[in-house]
Amino acid sequence: MSRLRRSDDGPPWTSSFRPPTPPVTERMRLVPLGPHVVQLDYLAIMGSRQRLRRELDWRGWPRNDFTLEDNEADLAEHFAEFQRGEAYAYSVLNPDESTCLGCIYLEPWTPGAQLALWVVDAEVPMGLELHLLRTLVPWLAGWPLPAVRVPVRASNPRLQAVLRDLECPAVDGPPDHQSFLLLRRGS
């Protein structure tokens, strides 16, 4: 899996930074993405792989032949990035942590960060993306970030509509994306 990142040397992108405690709601909780959730994450990915491939367009991820071992390697790298303060990936779990509902990825982007996210197919009609984004705004406000943008592919008009409903303004971002400003320091 490969996403475009742009260097930022702000405070969260160091190994000494400790992210604020992740949010928990009646519908979900965030936990750092790592090998401890590999089975739950793999089931979520593979159960939604056709839509994820189309909407995310992360160079064909997840492939049809994507294995549990491939996922374990990905999660080990996400966890290592988290520990080094290079990027912060979280699994979106149900409250009792028995099911993975999706993931979020907070990565460097000048200025601040970019946020990528996905949820499982079953949660799309249930509005989990909207709930998740509303939950993330106050949490991300506690990070030392000047701004957080959400780049969305043209192949995902549903998430673009969710961000417009949240009144997130359009901003510049990675090529081939419509990007939205989820948070700006002082807003």
Side-chain angles (χ1 to χ4, degrees), residues 31-47:
V31 300
L33 185 60
H36 62 287
V37 295
V38 68
Q39 298 249 352
L40 297 176
D41 186 71
Y42 183 73
L43 290 172
I45 290 167
M46 296 309 282

Side-chain angles (χ1 to χ4, degrees), residues 65-115:
D65 63 349
F66 189 66
T67 66
L68 183 64
E69 292 76 22
D70 293 333
N71 196 46
E72 190 167 24
D74 282 357
L75 297 192
E77 180 56 27
H78 282 304
F79 195 67
E81 288 176 336
F82 193 107
Q83 292 178 314
R84 293 188 304 259
E86 295 172 2
Y88 301 93
Y90 290 85
S91 184
V92 180
L93 302 179
N94 67 335
D96 70 5
E97 299 186 19
S98 63
T99 305
C100 177
L101 305 175
C103 287
I104 68 162
Y105 308 88
L106 192 63
E107 301 172 326
W109 190 266
T110 304
Q114 69 176 352
L115 175 75

Side-chain angles (χ1 to χ4, degrees), residues 37-184:
V37 295
V38 68
Q39 298 249 352
L40 297 176
D41 186 71
Y42 183 73
L43 290 172
I45 290 167
M46 296 309 282
S48 300
R49 73 181 171 271
Q50 297 300 334
R51 182 181 52 81
L52 294 178
R53 206 176 296 139
R54 182 177 63 255
E55 290 181 354
L56 300 174
D57 193 25
W58 289 342
R59 297 185 182 163
W61 179 90
R63 302 176 327 270
N64 282 335
D65 63 349
F66 189 66
T67 66
L68 183 64
E69 292 76 22
D70 293 333
N71 196 46
E72 190 167 24
D74 282 357
L75 297 192
E77 180 56 27
H78 282 304
F79 195 67
E81 288 176 336
F82 193 107
Q83 292 178 314
R84 293 188 304 259
E86 295 172 2
Y88 301 93
Y90 290 85
S91 184
V92 180
L93 302 179
N94 67 335
D96 70 5
E97 299 186 19
S98 63
T99 305
C100 177
L101 305 175
C103 287
I104 68 162
Y105 308 88
L106 192 63
E107 301 172 326
W109 190 266
T110 304
Q114 69 176 352
L115 175 75
L117 66 127
W118 61 266
V119 300
V120 295
D121 288 353
E123 290 296 330
V124 169
M126 306 302 290
L128 184 61
E129 290 162 319
L130 178 60
H131 177 78
L132 180 57
L133 287 164
R134 282 185 174 150
T135 301
L136 292 177
V137 169
W139 179 61
L140 291 170
W143 290 63
L145 295 165
V148 177
R149 71 188 66 238
V150 182
V152 183
R153 292 272 184 190
S155 56
N156 192 351
R158 184 197 67 263
L159 184 55
Q160 289 183 16
V162 168
L163 288 155
R164 281 189 200 98
D165 287 348
L166 286 171
E167 299 181 0
C168 297
V171 292
D172 290 333
D176 304 321
H177 291 76
Q178 171 65 60
S179 293
F180 298 86
L181 189 61
L182 182 66
L183 179 73
R184 179 178 313 181

